[in-house]
Amino acid sequence: MEIFTSLQKYDYEQLLFCQDKNSGLKAIIAIHDTTLGPALGGTRMWTYKTEDDAIVDALRLAKGMTYKNAAAGLNLGGGKTVIIGDPKKDKNPEMFRAFGRYIQGLNGRYITAEDVGTTEMDMDLIHLETDYVTGTSSYSGASGNPSPITALGLYHGMKATAKEAFGTESLEGKTVAVQGVGNVAYHLCEFLHKEGANLIVTDINKESVKRAVEDFGAKAVDPDEIYGVECDIYAPCALGATINDETLDKLKAKAVAGSANNQLMSTKHGDILHERGIVYAPDYVINAGGVINVADELVGYNRERAMKKVEMVYDNVEKVFEISKRDNIPTHVAADRMAEERIQSVRNSRSQFLRNEKHILNFN
Ligand SMILES: NC(=O)c1ccc[n+]([C@@H]2O[C@H](COP(=O)([O-])OP(=O)(O)OC[C@H]3O[C@@H](n4cnc5c(N)ncnc54)[C@H](O)[C@@H]3O)[C@@H](O)[C@H]2O)c1
Ligand SMILES: CC(C)C[C@H](N)C(=O)O
């Protein structure tokens, strides 16, 4: 891969490779843009087929965080880490401590939290080496695993999506097809079940499927079947790029609203959803609940205040639909416009993040 060509294409600031032989750490930290503030984004641990796959994932996820944080109104830039390895087999405490020291070395340019494959316990280990970590469990001002709060934001955003697609925000009697019933989607299913929605679920992990079937009366289907099921809303909550050439023609849903990052394989697929009249709630707008919640730790965590901000996901999703209709553009373009306008307005007055006494990180 031509690294600088890739960095220049979408204007990334920094890409770091962190290696620790003792613990087996192989981490890639991508910092996309710090115009709005320090880059906040989670750490994913995953078994990538190649190192290039890991770099591409880190870059795509970091850019997504820039847009997510900007669209959510946070004074934070975007970054992300991927750790190469199997989260079930390859973790050890020294690995996360070594990673924490690398984060500390960035002196606040990057702050981390959980993502796929990492847990509160991992964040606690990172915290032994640096304060630039959120989503920890056992420290004063910690807000814990963000997944249930991401689910809450997603639920609010799904209601805004239902209002746009069906004229009512009620999800009672609606059928939602959920792909991946992990940390976020399990809690989403709980909200939906309480409201009286019908659930169709799938996961490559049989235990997760069983839990959703038992706890919420969900109907289970095989992973490949989820795209073609009769449903009102398709909720992609596993990994990215599941809206692609192959799956689009199978989709029967009238709306797409899920937690996964980078749901569209390419922007072309967002355009096709728009042409077909399928209401798409842009991923980084609807899945911002978790980052909104952990960001509150940076100003002294207040759960009530954080929950009020998470409710705003409804308004943000609604705003995207309004821009989309006003300018007659697909919703993914409308979301990008909303985020880019905010970044540009701040960029006009200052450029890269520079720590100063007035900054959010200096809260005591
Ligand atoms: N956790 C958060 O707070 C948060 C916030 C924003 C976005 N996200 C995004 O939401 C998604 C889910 O996050 P999570 O924390 O719930 O992760 P998770 O790992 O707990 O859940 C993902 C689930 O998807 C399943 N899965 C993977 N590939 C699959 C496939 N091909 N078909 C069916 N199931 C599959 C996994 O077995 C797992 O159960 C990720 O894309 C993540 O980046 C998470
Ligand atoms: C909680 C966040 C900092 C990270 C989360 N995984 C996201 O993608 O939004």
mmCIF file of all heavy atoms in Angstrom, residues 40-42 65 68 80 113-115 146 261 287 290-291 294, ligand 2:
data_model
loop_
_atom_site.group_PDB
_atom_site.id
_atom_site.type_symbol
_atom_site.label_atom_id
_atom_site.label_comp_id
_atom_site.label_asym_id
_atom_site.label_seq_id
_atom_site.Cartn_x
_atom_site.Cartn_y
_atom_site.Cartn_z
ATOM 1 N N LEU A 40 -11.107 11.483 19.369
ATOM 2 C CA LEU A 40 -11.671 10.439 20.240
ATOM 3 C C LEU A 40 -12.249 9.329 19.376
ATOM 4 O O LEU A 40 -13.071 9.582 18.496
ATOM 5 C CB LEU A 40 -12.768 11.032 21.144
ATOM 6 C CG LEU A 40 -13.581 10.044 22.001
ATOM 7 C CD1 LEU A 40 -12.690 9.214 22.913
ATOM 8 C CD2 LEU A 40 -14.613 10.779 22.843
ATOM 9 N N GLY A 41 -11.816 8.111 19.632
ATOM 10 C CA GLY A 41 -12.332 6.970 18.874
ATOM 11 C C GLY A 41 -11.865 5.677 19.513
ATOM 12 O O GLY A 41 -10.784 5.621 20.123
ATOM 13 N N GLY A 42 -12.649 4.648 19.369
ATOM 14 C CA GLY A 42 -12.411 3.396 20.093
ATOM 15 C C GLY A 42 -11.249 2.580 19.543
ATOM 16 O O GLY A 42 -10.613 2.918 18.549
ATOM 17 N N MET A 65 -15.071 8.572 12.630
ATOM 18 C CA MET A 65 -15.154 9.226 13.956
ATOM 19 C C MET A 65 -15.094 10.751 13.818
ATOM 20 O O MET A 65 -15.738 11.466 14.582
ATOM 21 C CB MET A 65 -14.047 8.744 14.895
ATOM 22 C CG MET A 65 -14.187 7.318 15.396
ATOM 23 S SD MET A 65 -15.776 6.801 16.096
ATOM 24 C CE MET A 65 -15.978 7.898 17.481
ATOM 25 N N LYS A 68 -18.542 11.538 12.820
ATOM 26 C CA LYS A 68 -19.497 11.225 13.899
ATOM 27 C C LYS A 68 -19.446 12.306 14.983
ATOM 28 O O LYS A 68 -20.472 12.839 15.411
ATOM 29 C CB LYS A 68 -19.134 9.865 14.520
ATOM 30 C CG LYS A 68 -20.131 9.372 15.544
ATOM 31 C CD LYS A 68 -19.690 8.044 16.168
ATOM 32 C CE LYS A 68 -19.452 6.961 15.150
ATOM 33 N NZ LYS A 68 -19.326 5.618 15.757
ATOM 34 N N LYS A 80 -8.979 6.426 15.471
ATOM 35 C CA LYS A 80 -9.367 5.059 15.834
ATOM 36 C C LYS A 80 -8.113 4.207 15.890
ATOM 37 O O LYS A 80 -7.120 4.492 15.220
ATOM 38 C CB LYS A 80 -10.312 4.498 14.762
ATOM 39 C CG LYS A 80 -11.155 3.337 15.204
ATOM 40 C CD LYS A 80 -12.519 3.766 15.687
ATOM 41 C CE LYS A 80 -13.405 2.592 16.023
ATOM 42 N NZ LYS A 80 -14.781 3.009 16.279
ATOM 43 N N ALA A 113 -11.376 4.400 23.638
ATOM 44 C CA ALA A 113 -12.541 3.803 24.321
ATOM 45 C C ALA A 113 -12.747 2.412 23.700
ATOM 46 O O ALA A 113 -11.907 1.954 22.930
ATOM 47 C CB ALA A 113 -13.779 4.672 24.102
ATOM 48 N N GLU A 114 -13.865 1.766 24.034
ATOM 49 C CA GLU A 114 -14.128 0.425 23.514
ATOM 50 C C GLU A 114 -14.577 0.446 22.046
ATOM 51 O O GLU A 114 -15.150 1.424 21.570
ATOM 52 C CB GLU A 114 -15.262 -0.260 24.310
ATOM 53 C CG GLU A 114 -14.946 -0.623 25.731
ATOM 54 C CD GLU A 114 -15.238 0.501 26.726
ATOM 55 O OE1 GLU A 114 -15.390 1.657 26.293
ATOM 56 O OE2 GLU A 114 -15.311 0.212 27.933
ATOM 57 N N ASP A 115 -14.304 -0.622 21.359
ATOM 58 C CA ASP A 115 -14.967 -0.930 20.081
ATOM 59 C C ASP A 115 -15.035 -2.462 20.012
ATOM 60 O O ASP A 115 -14.765 -3.144 21.016
ATOM 61 C CB ASP A 115 -14.216 -0.311 18.891
ATOM 62 C CG ASP A 115 -15.064 -0.365 17.609
ATOM 63 O OD1 ASP A 115 -16.092 0.330 17.538
ATOM 64 O OD2 ASP A 115 -14.733 -1.139 16.694
ATOM 65 N N PRO A 146 -19.723 1.721 26.670
ATOM 66 C CA PRO A 146 -20.703 2.588 26.011
ATOM 67 C C PRO A 146 -21.822 1.860 25.252
ATOM 68 O O PRO A 146 -22.807 2.501 24.843
ATOM 69 C CB PRO A 146 -19.843 3.398 25.031
ATOM 70 C CG PRO A 146 -18.635 2.570 24.790
ATOM 71 C CD PRO A 146 -18.402 1.755 26.024
ATOM 72 N N ASN A 261 -20.486 0.582 12.033
ATOM 73 C CA ASN A 261 -19.760 1.665 11.375
ATOM 74 C C ASN A 261 -19.525 1.302 9.917
ATOM 75 O O ASN A 261 -19.379 0.136 9.577
ATOM 76 C CB ASN A 261 -18.404 1.874 12.073
ATOM 77 C CG ASN A 261 -18.559 2.605 13.398
ATOM 78 O OD1 ASN A 261 -19.188 3.655 13.470
ATOM 79 N ND2 ASN A 261 -18.001 2.038 14.465
ATOM 80 N N ASN A 287 -25.395 6.129 15.305
ATOM 81 C CA ASN A 287 -24.683 5.308 16.308
ATOM 82 C C ASN A 287 -23.784 6.136 17.235
ATOM 83 O O ASN A 287 -22.868 5.608 17.863
ATOM 84 C CB ASN A 287 -23.915 4.155 15.640
ATOM 85 C CG ASN A 287 -22.655 4.608 14.906
ATOM 86 O OD1 ASN A 287 -22.197 5.735 15.042
ATOM 87 N ND2 ASN A 287 -22.084 3.707 14.119
ATOM 88 N N GLY A 290 -22.859 6.240 22.040
ATOM 89 C CA GLY A 290 -21.739 5.785 22.879
ATOM 90 C C GLY A 290 -20.663 6.836 23.002
ATOM 91 O O GLY A 290 -20.159 7.102 24.103
ATOM 92 N N VAL A 291 -20.321 7.458 21.884
ATOM 93 C CA VAL A 291 -19.245 8.461 21.952
ATOM 94 C C VAL A 291 -19.739 9.715 22.676
ATOM 95 O O VAL A 291 -18.981 10.359 23.412
ATOM 96 C CB VAL A 291 -18.650 8.756 20.546
ATOM 97 C CG1 VAL A 291 -19.538 9.635 19.696
ATOM 98 C CG2 VAL A 291 -17.289 9.406 20.707
ATOM 99 N N VAL A 294 -19.322 8.717 26.408
ATOM 100 C CA VAL A 294 -17.944 8.692 26.954
ATOM 101 C C VAL A 294 -17.310 10.081 26.893
ATOM 102 O O VAL A 294 -16.483 10.429 27.746
ATOM 103 C CB VAL A 294 -17.013 7.637 26.286
ATOM 104 C CG1 VAL A 294 -17.525 6.234 26.481
ATOM 105 C CG2 VAL A 294 -16.758 7.928 24.818
HETATM 106 C C1 LIG B 2 -17.446 4.912 22.178
HETATM 107 C C2 LIG B 2 -16.717 5.378 20.979
HETATM 108 C C3 LIG B 2 -15.543 6.218 21.377
HETATM 109 C C4 LIG B 2 -16.282 4.305 20.082
HETATM 110 C C5 LIG B 2 -17.394 3.515 19.452
HETATM 111 N N1 LIG B 2 -16.955 2.182 19.195
HETATM 112 C C6 LIG B 2 -17.860 4.179 18.150
HETATM 113 O O1 LIG B 2 -17.629 3.691 17.081
HETATM 114 O O2 LIG B 2 -18.516 5.194 18.203
#
